[in-house]
Amino acid sequence: MAVKKGDLVRLVEEKFVGSLEAQASDPRLPPYVFTGQGEVVDLMGEYAQVKFPVPTPNVWLRIDQIEAVK
């Protein structure tokens, strides 16, 4: 199922680790990106802009590396 604006998602660690995006990022990602709930606020191509409920900037994550949270 494709994600859409407003969906609550989390980053799937197994799909992220070792990816090009992981290599370009700080290896010390905060745990909330894997366990928390972020809201999809925008979509562009194969990326989703996700806003987490913490005082940090929104992040762009590859759609195939995130999953909906129930």
Side-chain angles (χ1 to χ4, degrees):
M1 180 167 92
V3 296
K4 58 187 181 302
K5 288 183 183 181
D7 283 354
L8 295 177
V9 297
R10 70 174 186 90
L11 184 61
V12 180
E13 187 170 7
E14 298 79 26
K15 293 180 180 179
F16 181 75
V17 173
S19 69
L20 180 63
E21 291 79 13
Q23 294 173 22
S25 300
D26 187 335
R28 303 165 297 159
L29 287 177
Y32 67 81
V33 299
F34 300 111
T35 60
Q37 296 181 357
E39 178 185 355
V40 175
V41 293
D42 199 6
L43 297 166
M44 184 176 291
E46 56 187 57
Y47 290 89
Q49 187 178 33
V50 179
K51 173 182 154 184
F52 287 94
V54 292
T56 59
N58 298 350
V59 295
W60 286 94
L61 301 170
R62 229 172 60 207
I63 291 173
D64 64 341
Q65 295 174 345
I66 59 177
E67 68 180 8
V69 177
K70 298 176 182 179

